Amino acid sequence: MKYFLDVYGTLPRAGPGSDALTRRAFGTMPDLPAAPRILDIGCGPGRQTVELLKISGGTVLALDVFPQMLERVRDNAEQAGVADRLETLEQDMNEMDFPESTFDVVWSEGAIYFLGFAAGLEKVGKFVKPGGYIAVSEAVWLAPNPPTEAVDFWKDYPEIDTVAAKLEVIRRLGYEEMGHFVFPPAAWTDEYYDPMEERIAEKAEQWRGIPEAEAVLAEARKEIATFRRYPDCFSYAFFVMRK
């Protein structure tokens, strides 16, 4: 885990995304209170957390299992001048047990898969006030019959599916879909894979001969190569829904 965090935990983002995509998703939620209460699940280093604090005027409870990530969230919020409206909670998202109807918005960028898409939406739904919103980004197939290499890449997440299938899950769970959109390739590269490649280059010589560390670098290289080879086959999509 140390070597994993030394690569993935030092990137600008914990996964694909951008400030513009965060703002776009937030813009699909009308009639929010002037100072909404937001839960950001699996916040990572908190780029979207800080953006939510900036654009919402509300408070954000940032939840992550790694204390290193929460430290980065607090630092980033301090630098942005919004730390007075930030709370952090070190917790496994599987252990979340907030009172019903606590939040106006539940947000999760690239992390709902730890709970599973359907199970995650069902779990967090009770934390949202009636008329409140859930916004998540989720892995989706963009093309039918994806190549074997891409399928193998996602083998540990069998819930990856088409956008249409994800929308059907949202409807089945009783949510009102407010909007959805697919991430462009730049959302994967600009603040995620490009800096990851730089980090790999920094660590390659330093970690030479350490099997656990070299395994982390090899997996990261494979991840980047798979996306660069098949950017039209899979991506993330944002889904925004109303309770």
Side-chain angles (χ1 to χ4, degrees), residues 133-134 170-171 173-179 240-243:
Y133 298 92
I134 300 171
I170 290 169
R171 287 190 289 267
L173 292 175
Y175 295 112
E176 176 189 2
E177 191 236 331
M178 303 302 296
V240 182
M241 63 210 80
R242 192 171 199 171
K243 180 177 177 180

Side-chain angles (χ1 to χ4, degrees), residues 62-132:
L63 182 150
D64 203 279
V65 72
F66 295 116
Q68 301 95 321
M69 294 295 99
L70 296 177
E71 184 177 347
R72 289 188 63 193
V73 175
R74 289 188 290 267
D75 288 345
N76 290 335
E78 190 69 41
Q79 292 173 20
V82 293
D84 59 318
R85 292 183 283 114
L86 171 70
E87 300 174 47
T88 59
L89 177 61
E90 183 184 336
Q91 187 179 63
D92 187 320
M93 65 180 67
N94 288 285
E95 299 173 359
M96 292 186 300
D97 190 24
F98 300 103
E100 290 190 15
S101 302
T102 298
F103 301 98
D104 298 294
V105 178
V106 171
W107 197 275
S108 186
E109 293 198 23
I112 197 71
Y113 72 87
F114 286 115
L115 297 172
F117 186 70
L121 294 183
E122 191 166 19
K123 180 179 180 68
V124 304
K126 59 189 175 185
F127 307 148
V128 182
K129 297 175 183 178

Side-chain angles (χ1 to χ4, degrees), residues 138-160:
E138 166 74 344
V140 293
W141 292 122
L142 302 181
N145 305 313
T148 300
E149 186 177 356
V151 173
D152 287 344
F153 175 72
W154 288 103
K155 66 180 183 301
D156 292 330
Y157 187 58
E159 281 196 64
I160 185 173

